[in-house]
Amino acid sequence: MSRRRKGRDVNGILVIDKPQGVTSNGILQQVKRLYGAAKAGHTGALDPLATGVLPLCFGEATKFSQMMLDSDKAYIATARLGERTETGDSEGAVVATKPVPEGLTPETLEPVLAQFRGDIEQVPSMYSALKHKGRPLYEYAREGIEVERPARPVTIYELQLLDIRENEIDIAVKCTKGTYIRSLAEDIGEVLGCGAHVVALRRTLAAGFTLADVHAVPDLEAMREQGESLDGLLVAPDAALSMFPEERLSGQPLVSILNGQPVRIPARSYEGFVRIYGNEGFIGLAEARPEGEETTLVPRRLVSNSGKR
């Protein structure tokens, strides 16, 4: 006897403006209930302190959540100088204080920030969600256990000073996945010799979505109370995959891809993931493999029932 599925089929992406003080999973479950959706997931957790762009995937869109997780991110952060905390942000207890260097200016800070632009090595925080032996690091940290963490390569594409006050700086960061802004703030404070921690963090870019795309949960709740459908707020899965090249198929190659079979097409300049479209829209992702005068497209993530769209 098959188990009855709870919830309805909902497919697409909804970009939420995550509020401060709640977990990403908490917001996911709240919005999933509002939609009555059977299947949903997010694309990388934000700390409870953080706000901003949080794409949520429903139904077929969850097939592409890993690609969205791997995308570049951008943030605006406020770092308080002169204090180190156990967590690297304002949710942890202060563990050390030092005087902030006098006379900090954009000109004196620029050489410090320049050290962190480009390819760098970063040691993840003990209060991160990275796992060690199947458990997130923050669980060890809460038990007072320190785990050795190897430095990991990340890339800081942009690091800009937005404002400077007596003991705080605002910075804008664009970076690769896996970059910890708390660790970046701590490292900047270390170079300044006074320590630092994050007191505000807002994500402004994820999976190609910006703050212009977000919806607030209270607005969704108000729509539901007024009997309005939320489905019109969803965007198609390929809206988050614009970083990949596009290929349109028809005829037998389209039929073969829809049946899960690799197809050969004339050589293309791209390789790796590519978005595939048929006569009636987005089909999914294939992996392009250059092979001399031809390119082989191997289906990897296909939208269910795409042949009927």
Side-chain angles (χ1 to χ4, degrees):
M1 181 177 177
S2 61
R3 300 179 67 182
R4 187 175 180 181
R5 197 178 190 190
K6 294 183 179 180
R8 64 190 183 97
D9 287 329
V10 179
N11 298 296
I13 298 169
L14 182 73
V15 189
I16 288 294
D17 188 352
K18 179 193 166 298
Q20 186 175 347
V22 293
T23 66
S24 296
N25 187 61
I27 288 296
L28 170 66
Q29 298 306 323
Q30 188 176 355
V31 176
K32 183 181 177 183
R33 286 193 296 272
L34 287 172
Y35 271 88
K39 186 177 183 181
H42 61 66
T43 55
L46 280 171
D47 293 336
L49 170 76
T51 67
V53 179
L54 180 65
L56 304 181
C57 296
F58 294 89
E60 292 297 300
T62 60
K63 294 179 178 179
F64 310 100
S65 58
Q66 183 60 48
M67 291 76 180
M68 298 167 66
L69 179 62
D70 292 343
S71 67
D72 295 336
K73 310 294 192 298
Y75 304 86
I76 292 176
T78 298
R80 181 163 297 157
L81 307 178
E83 295 178 346
R84 285 197 306 109
T85 69
E86 61 181 1
T87 59
D89 60 26
S90 56
E91 295 192 331
V94 174
V95 295
T97 60
K98 288 186 179 180
V100 178
E102 295 183 4
L104 284 182
T105 66
E107 290 72 27
T108 58
L109 276 172
E110 172 54 29
V112 175
L113 298 183
Q115 297 180 40
F116 298 98
R117 296 190 185 107
D119 299 329
I120 65 171
E121 296 279 322
Q122 189 180 70
V123 177
S125 167
M126 269 301 300
Y127 283 84
S128 71
L130 281 179
K131 290 189 176 180
H132 174 73
K133 295 183 178 179
R135 297 177 62 198
L137 288 176
Y138 61 77
E139 289 188 0
Y140 292 97
R142 289 168 182 167
E143 296 171 4
I145 301 172
E146 183 82 11
V147 175
E148 185 176 352
R149 289 103 58 210
R152 306 194 312 168
V154 298
T155 301
I156 308 292
Y157 299 115
E158 298 174 14
L159 177 55
Q160 178 186 0
L161 178 67
L162 300 179
D163 193 18
I164 180 171
R165 296 176 291 281
E166 182 178 351
N167 68 335
E168 291 184 348
I169 58 173
D170 297 336
I171 55 175
V173 186
K174 185 176 181 182
C175 54
T176 53
K177 69 164 186 174
T179 303
Y180 288 93
I181 307 302
R182 285 178 296 172
S183 297
L184 177 62
E186 288 181 310
D187 291 343
I188 290 172
E190 190 71 21
V191 173
L192 289 172
C194 62
H197 68 277
V198 169
V199 294
L201 181 64
R202 186 156 177 76
R203 188 157 70 183
T204 58
L205 172 72
F209 297 111
T210 70
L211 291 172
D213 303 306
V214 300
H215 301 278
V217 173
D219 293 339
L220 304 182
E221 294 173 330
M223 289 178 65
R224 278 299 307 272
E225 289 175 3
Q226 294 168 12
E228 298 180 41
S229 172
L230 303 179
D231 290 4
L233 303 179
L234 297 170
V235 297
D238 58 323
L241 304 173
S242 60
M243 72 286 285
F244 301 125
E246 170 187 324
E247 184 69 47
R248 294 190 174 271
L249 300 177
S250 60
Q252 188 56 47
L254 175 59
V255 173
S256 295
I257 281 284
L258 289 173
N259 288 328
Q261 301 168 349
V263 300
R264 291 178 178 270
I265 60 174
R268 299 290 192 260
S269 59
Y270 55 70
E271 61 180 305
F273 283 122
V274 55
R275 290 173 290 146
I276 304 295
Y277 292 84
N279 300 328
E280 298 183 30
F282 178 64
I283 291 171
L285 286 179
E287 181 185 355
R289 297 176 178 175
E291 297 177 1
E293 296 183 356
E294 292 183 317
T295 290
T296 297
L297 298 177
V298 182
R300 292 302 186 199
R301 296 281 190 278
L302 299 183
V303 176
S304 295
N305 300 319
S306 54
K308 300 178 182 179
R309 293 178 62 191

PDB file of all heavy atoms in Angstrom, residues 43-55:
ATOM      1  N   THR A  43      18.492  26.723  -0.071  1.00  0.00           N
ATOM      2  CA  THR A  43      19.710  26.603  -0.880  1.00  0.00           C
ATOM      3  C   THR A  43      20.938  27.076  -0.111  1.00  0.00           C
ATOM      4  O   THR A  43      21.794  27.763  -0.654  1.00  0.00           O
ATOM      5  CB  THR A  43      19.570  27.419  -2.174  1.00  0.00           C
ATOM      6  OG1 THR A  43      19.242  28.785  -1.842  1.00  0.00           O
ATOM      7  CG2 THR A  43      18.468  26.867  -3.035  1.00  0.00           C
ATOM      8  N   GLY A  44      21.008  26.701   1.153  1.00  0.00           N
ATOM      9  CA  GLY A  44      22.141  27.107   1.968  1.00  0.00           C
ATOM     10  C   GLY A  44      21.692  27.993   3.107  1.00  0.00           C
ATOM     11  O   GLY A  44      21.050  29.025   2.887  1.00  0.00           O
ATOM     12  N   ALA A  45      21.977  27.592   4.329  1.00  0.00           N
ATOM     13  CA  ALA A  45      21.450  28.273   5.503  1.00  0.00           C
ATOM     14  C   ALA A  45      22.140  29.607   5.753  1.00  0.00           C
ATOM     15  O   ALA A  45      23.341  29.774   5.525  1.00  0.00           O
ATOM     16  CB  ALA A  45      21.604  27.387   6.729  1.00  0.00           C
ATOM     17  N   LEU A  46      21.350  30.556   6.225  1.00  0.00           N
ATOM     18  CA  LEU A  46      21.858  31.807   6.772  1.00  0.00           C
ATOM     19  C   LEU A  46      21.811  31.708   8.294  1.00  0.00           C
ATOM     20  O   LEU A  46      20.890  31.120   8.856  1.00  0.00           O
ATOM     21  CB  LEU A  46      20.995  32.986   6.316  1.00  0.00           C
ATOM     22  CG  LEU A  46      21.236  33.543   4.909  1.00  0.00           C
ATOM     23  CD1 LEU A  46      20.137  34.545   4.559  1.00  0.00           C
ATOM     24  CD2 LEU A  46      22.595  34.202   4.799  1.00  0.00           C
ATOM     25  N   ASP A  47      22.796  32.304   8.967  1.00  0.00           N
ATOM     26  CA  ASP A  47      22.783  32.340  10.424  1.00  0.00           C
ATOM     27  C   ASP A  47      21.524  33.045  10.921  1.00  0.00           C
ATOM     28  O   ASP A  47      20.974  33.919  10.233  1.00  0.00           O
ATOM     29  CB  ASP A  47      24.004  33.092  10.953  1.00  0.00           C
ATOM     30  CG  ASP A  47      25.301  32.352  10.679  1.00  0.00           C
ATOM     31  OD1 ASP A  47      25.251  31.124  10.516  1.00  0.00           O
ATOM     32  OD2 ASP A  47      26.359  33.018  10.626  1.00  0.00           O
ATOM     33  N   PRO A  48      21.042  32.716  12.130  1.00  0.00           N
ATOM     34  CA  PRO A  48      19.888  33.439  12.680  1.00  0.00           C
ATOM     35  C   PRO A  48      20.094  34.952  12.700  1.00  0.00           C
ATOM     36  O   PRO A  48      19.140  35.710  12.492  1.00  0.00           O
ATOM     37  CB  PRO A  48      19.774  32.867  14.098  1.00  0.00           C
ATOM     38  CG  PRO A  48      20.312  31.475  13.971  1.00  0.00           C
ATOM     39  CD  PRO A  48      21.446  31.581  12.986  1.00  0.00           C
ATOM     40  N   LEU A  49      21.337  35.408  12.928  1.00  0.00           N
ATOM     41  CA  LEU A  49      21.633  36.845  12.944  1.00  0.00           C
ATOM     42  C   LEU A  49      21.393  37.483  11.580  1.00  0.00           C
ATOM     43  O   LEU A  49      21.017  38.658  11.484  1.00  0.00           O
ATOM     44  CB  LEU A  49      23.092  37.063  13.359  1.00  0.00           C
ATOM     45  CG  LEU A  49      23.659  38.474  13.216  1.00  0.00           C
ATOM     46  CD1 LEU A  49      23.130  39.365  14.335  1.00  0.00           C
ATOM     47  CD2 LEU A  49      25.184  38.457  13.256  1.00  0.00           C
ATOM     48  N   ALA A  50      21.599  36.728  10.511  1.00  0.00           N
ATOM     49  CA  ALA A  50      21.608  37.281   9.159  1.00  0.00           C
ATOM     50  C   ALA A  50      20.205  37.482   8.611  1.00  0.00           C
ATOM     51  O   ALA A  50      19.248  36.804   8.996  1.00  0.00           O
ATOM     52  CB  ALA A  50      22.408  36.381   8.233  1.00  0.00           C
ATOM     53  N   THR A  51      20.095  38.419   7.678  1.00  0.00           N
ATOM     54  CA  THR A  51      18.853  38.676   6.959  1.00  0.00           C
ATOM     55  C   THR A  51      19.147  38.631   5.459  1.00  0.00           C
ATOM     56  O   THR A  51      20.284  38.512   5.035  1.00  0.00           O
ATOM     57  CB  THR A  51      18.274  40.059   7.323  1.00  0.00           C
ATOM     58  OG1 THR A  51      19.165  41.083   6.818  1.00  0.00           O
ATOM     59  CG2 THR A  51      18.131  40.235   8.817  1.00  0.00           C
ATOM     60  N   GLY A  52      18.084  38.728   4.667  1.00  0.00           N
ATOM     61  CA  GLY A  52      18.291  38.908   3.237  1.00  0.00           C
ATOM     62  C   GLY A  52      17.911  37.731   2.372  1.00  0.00           C
ATOM     63  O   GLY A  52      17.067  36.898   2.732  1.00  0.00           O
ATOM     64  N   VAL A  53      18.548  37.653   1.208  1.00  0.00           N
ATOM     65  CA  VAL A  53      18.152  36.767   0.119  1.00  0.00           C
ATOM     66  C   VAL A  53      18.274  35.294   0.512  1.00  0.00           C
ATOM     67  O   VAL A  53      19.365  34.796   0.774  1.00  0.00           O
ATOM     68  CB  VAL A  53      19.009  37.042  -1.135  1.00  0.00           C
ATOM     69  CG1 VAL A  53      18.620  36.095  -2.268  1.00  0.00           C
ATOM     70  CG2 VAL A  53      18.856  38.500  -1.585  1.00  0.00           C
ATOM     71  N   LEU A  54      17.126  34.605   0.530  1.00  0.00           N
ATOM     72  CA  LEU A  54      17.086  33.173   0.832  1.00  0.00           C
ATOM     73  C   LEU A  54      16.157  32.499  -0.183  1.00  0.00           C
ATOM     74  O   LEU A  54      14.935  32.507  -0.009  1.00  0.00           O
ATOM     75  CB  LEU A  54      16.592  32.922   2.250  1.00  0.00           C
ATOM     76  CG  LEU A  54      16.507  31.450   2.675  1.00  0.00           C
ATOM     77  CD1 LEU A  54      17.892  30.814   2.725  1.00  0.00           C
ATOM     78  CD2 LEU A  54      15.799  31.303   4.018  1.00  0.00           C
ATOM     79  N   PRO A  55      16.699  31.923  -1.258  1.00  0.00           N
ATOM     80  CA  PRO A  55      15.850  31.224  -2.223  1.00  0.00           C
ATOM     81  C   PRO A  55      15.345  29.901  -1.639  1.00  0.00           C
ATOM     82  O   PRO A  55      16.115  29.117  -1.099  1.00  0.00           O
ATOM     83  CB  PRO A  55      16.785  30.973  -3.417  1.00  0.00           C
ATOM     84  CG  PRO A  55      17.949  31.905  -3.218  1.00  0.00           C
ATOM     85  CD  PRO A  55      18.093  32.013  -1.735  1.00  0.00           C
TER      86      PRO A  55
END
